[in-house]
């Protein structure tokens, strides 16, 4: 990890609007891939189980994309950089419009690895969360198999060896946010521990690798689905057998941070 301001560059960055292009493409895949929908609903239920109803304030998802988290968490406020009509409001992770200490939970599903300056965003998340509020991340897991799958079958870089630029440079504005991807970011910072020394004001409540060969078999949003329900049943059996070996097999990573109380 580096504290400098040289951004991590693995390929030429597409324009920011590429995010919205992918949202529209994902909506089409969502409509034609029932197994993908089923697995995503399972992932959403994992997230829902980490929501503490006793905490004051709304549950907010940042970077909601298609906004499908409402299928499982209907009260969730959905947001994105792009004002699509199915979302509740427009938000930028680096400059949220919520008041200080006003939000109970922030959910980022496949968003953390798009933050070029995670420390800058994390400081903004800390500002808006109520004391004891939770930041819930759901991200790709850079296990041995995960790295292979995401490297060869997904267009975004895994970037497990590139430097991470924690803080934005002087003069940075939220409007300067660009398209960026490093799928291994959460794995490195929270699972492998590279970021543990940078979590002042936070408590790392949970880091849970999630084994899901079933997810891999769906092809995600951009790849072809492999087989039908019989194959997916076999994949679920593999998940059960491989779950004791997350370093080798995990497909996803669930991270829960809690804002420390004064």
């Amino acid at each position: 990890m580096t504290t400098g301001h040289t951004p991590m560059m693995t390929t030429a960055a597409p324009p920011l609007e590429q995010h919205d292009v992918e949202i529209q493409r994902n909506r089409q895949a969502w409509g034609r891939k029932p197994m993908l929908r089923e697995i995503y609903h399972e992932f959403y239920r994992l997230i829902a189980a980490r929501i503490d109803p006793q905490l004051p304030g709304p549950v907010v998802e940042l970077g909601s994309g298609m906004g499908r988290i409402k299928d499982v968490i209907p009260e969730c406020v959905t947001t994105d950089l792009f004002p699509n009509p199915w979302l509740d409001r427009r938000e930028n992770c680096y400059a949220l419009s919520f008041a200080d200490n006003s939000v109970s939970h922030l959910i980022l599903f496949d968003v953390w690895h798009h933050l070029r300056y995670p420390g800058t965003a994390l400081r903004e998340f800390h500002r808006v969360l109520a004391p004891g509020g939770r930041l819930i991340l759901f991200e790709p897991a850079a296990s041995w198999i995960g790295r292979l799958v995401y490297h060869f079958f997904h267009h975004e870089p895994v970037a497990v060896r590139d430097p991470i630029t924690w803080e934005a440079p002087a003069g940075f504005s939220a409007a300067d946010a660009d398209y960026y991807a490093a799928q291994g970011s959460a794995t490195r910072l929270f699972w492998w521990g590279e970021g543990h020394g940078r979590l002042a004001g936070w408590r790392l409540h949970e880091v849970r690798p999630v084994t899901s060969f079933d997810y891999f078999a769906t092809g995600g949003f951009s790849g072809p689905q492999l087989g039908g329900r019989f194959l997916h049943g076999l994949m679920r059996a593999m998940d059960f057998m491989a779950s004791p070996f997350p370093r080798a097999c995990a497909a996803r990573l669930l991270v829960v941070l809690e804002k420390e109380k004064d």
Side-chain angles (χ1 to χ4, degrees):
M1 186 183 299
T2 179
T3 58
H5 300 312
T6 302
M8 175 165 63
M9 295 295 290
T10 54
T11 59
L16 182 63
E17 289 73 22
Q18 179 64 24
H19 281 304
D20 198 39
V21 170
E22 293 174 6
I23 290 169
Q24 307 305 325
R25 182 194 66 201
N26 291 350
R27 277 171 58 84
Q28 296 177 8
W30 183 268
R32 68 175 184 268
K33 300 179 82 170
M35 294 303 301
L36 182 68
R37 296 197 298 270
E38 184 176 316
I39 290 167
Y40 263 70
H41 285 158
E42 291 177 3
F43 292 160
Y44 292 143
R45 284 191 284 271
L46 286 175
I47 292 170
R50 274 75 187 170
I51 293 176
D52 181 355
Q54 302 302 315
L55 291 171
V59 176
V60 177
E61 184 184 34
L62 302 177
S64 298
M66 301 179 300
R68 303 308 312 204
I69 198 168
K70 282 183 178 288
D71 294 346
V72 176
I73 310 173
E75 73 276 15
C76 185
V77 178
T78 53
T79 78
D80 206 284
L81 275 170
F82 303 96
N84 282 308
W86 54 85
L87 300 178
D88 294 318
R89 57 197 286 174
R90 191 174 186 178
E91 291 289 343
N92 186 312
C93 286
Y94 296 109
L96 299 173
S97 65
F98 299 95
D100 295 359
N101 305 310
S102 64
V103 174
S104 65
H105 298 77
L106 288 174
I107 300 169
L108 280 70
F109 194 120
D110 281 343
V111 172
W112 179 269
H113 68 269
H114 288 298
L115 298 175
R116 186 181 291 277
Y117 308 116
T120 301
L122 196 60
R123 187 166 56 251
E124 181 68 354
F125 302 157
H126 192 276
R127 178 186 69 80
V128 304
L129 280 171
R134 292 181 173 179
L135 172 64
I136 304 173
L137 312 178
F138 203 82
E139 284 286 306
S143 64
W144 299 344
I145 293 176
R147 273 175 272 175
L148 288 173
V149 171
Y150 294 127
H151 176 75
F152 288 107
F153 299 101
H154 193 64
H155 64 283
E156 296 171 353
V158 182
V160 294
R161 294 185 178 87
D162 292 359
I164 295 174
T165 307
W166 186 251
E167 294 283 357
F172 173 79
S173 165
D176 298 332
D178 60 355
Y179 187 93
Y180 171 82
Q183 293 184 89
S185 176
T187 295
R188 294 174 61 186
L189 292 170
F190 305 113
W191 190 13
W192 296 353
E194 292 182 30
H196 288 183
R198 296 181 175 273
L199 298 179
W202 296 94
R203 184 172 76 90
L204 189 56
H205 176 74
E206 182 179 7
V207 178
R208 178 182 173 182
V210 178
T211 304
S212 185
F213 287 98
D214 203 21
Y215 168 71
F216 288 147
T218 68
F221 286 100
S222 57
Q225 180 172 303
L226 303 178
R229 287 197 171 272
F230 176 74
L231 177 62
H232 283 270
L234 291 179
M235 294 295 102
R236 288 175 185 267
M238 288 180 61
D239 290 343
F240 177 78
M241 292 184 291
S243 59
F245 311 102
R247 291 275 181 173
C249 302
R252 287 292 190 164
L253 187 68
L254 176 67
V255 178
V256 182
L257 296 170
E258 288 187 354
K259 178 177 172 177
E260 292 182 348
K261 299 178 181 179
D262 295 333

